[in-house]
Amino acid sequence: MLTKEMLRSGLPELYAHRVRLRQLRAEDYPALERMLSDPLVIRYVNRIRKPVYARMRRLVAQIKVAGDSLDSLHFAVEWHGRNTGVTPSQLLGIASFQQWNEGTGEAQLGYILDRPFWGQGLATEIVEVMLKFGFGSLKLKRIEGRCQEDNQASVRVLVKNKLRLLRIIRSYDPSGEVPNVLVFSITQGDYA
């Protein structure tokens, strides 16, 4: 079982069929900022009503702080495998275990792909390898995945990876502009 103390020296590399996940590094942040500056990419990431640039800055700051403390594990997603015209070190997206609690064995799964890589099944591969790492190496007992109700692509990714709808967090916004959040979950027993 990997612990926070063991991971202070770095995250392991994880491999799926087409992608490699490695520790997010300082040199990844400019590409991450560019990716998160796309209004369609950041659309489903958080629900605050601020301009895209402010949302991007807030999210990048949260990623840095939580990653440094290992409250979250952030992986850069790169291409792995056959030649696709994408440079091997190009940041395709990120994948994370957020709010990782060693004591309870729980974490929240997150993933973001840059828009050119949507609709190719990469998110499904990423979630698959993150579940394997979470239940195998981290010995998590439960993994949660959240997405906005209108993000049907993420709903499909979570369902394909056998996460089940646990609850709905109702929007606090009476105007209906802020959608409900669907909370999915999978336990180690369900995964096995």
Side-chain angles (χ1 to χ4, degrees):
M1 175 177 147
L2 291 176
T3 64
K4 284 186 183 184
E5 192 57 40
M6 295 166 80
L7 293 175
R8 292 210 185 282
S9 61
L11 300 179
E13 290 188 353
L14 309 176
Y15 291 90
H17 178 66
R18 297 177 291 169
V19 295
R20 171 176 79 123
L21 283 64
R22 61 152 175 85
Q23 184 162 339
L24 194 61
R25 300 186 291 244
E27 59 266 24
D28 296 317
Y29 285 102
L32 182 61
E33 289 175 358
R34 181 203 48 76
M35 179 178 71
L36 294 174
S37 293
D38 181 331
L40 292 178
V41 171
I42 202 165
R43 174 181 175 195
Y44 295 120
V45 176
N46 56 34
R47 302 189 308 168
I48 62 173
R49 288 193 211 180
K50 295 197 184 236
V52 169
Y53 181 79
R55 294 171 69 192
M56 177 275 293
R57 298 298 305 157
R58 180 176 183 235
L59 181 57
V60 169
Q62 289 173 335
I63 288 169
K64 287 179 181 178
V65 169
D68 289 345
S69 67
L70 289 178
D71 288 335
S72 296
L73 305 177
H74 298 290
F75 292 88
V77 178
E78 297 177 333
W79 198 259
H80 166 71
R82 64 187 184 280
N83 184 355
T84 62
V86 177
T87 58
S89 62
Q90 181 179 352
L91 187 71
L92 308 179
I94 62 170
S96 308
F97 277 130
Q98 303 150 15
Q99 302 171 17
W100 175 30
N101 186 320
E102 277 185 292
T104 63
E106 296 180 345
Q108 189 177 115
L109 173 68
Y111 50 90
I112 305 168
L113 283 173
D114 203 356
R115 193 165 15 146
F117 308 105
W118 290 2
Q120 301 176 34
L122 295 176
T124 301
E125 283 187 40
I126 292 164
V127 169
E128 184 179 318
V129 77
M130 289 292 286
L131 293 176
K132 182 178 178 183
F133 173 67
F135 288 126
S137 299
L138 298 179
K139 302 296 183 210
L140 294 175
K141 296 174 184 159
R142 187 172 80 84
I143 296 172
E144 191 175 276
R146 296 179 178 202
C147 65
Q148 291 182 14
E149 193 169 41
D150 57 344
N151 186 351
Q152 289 303 303
S154 268
V155 169
R156 284 190 299 275
V157 167
L158 295 171
V159 169
K160 279 183 193 175
N161 277 286
K162 301 191 180 1
L163 280 83
R164 295 183 190 161
L165 183 62
L166 183 65
R167 69 182 184 278
I168 299 173
I169 300 172
R170 300 283 175 205
S171 173
Y172 58 86
D173 178 22
S175 73
E177 290 180 35
V178 178
N180 296 328
V181 172
L182 305 178
V183 180
F184 291 83
S185 178
I186 186 170
T187 64
Q188 188 171 44
D190 290 337
Y191 179 77

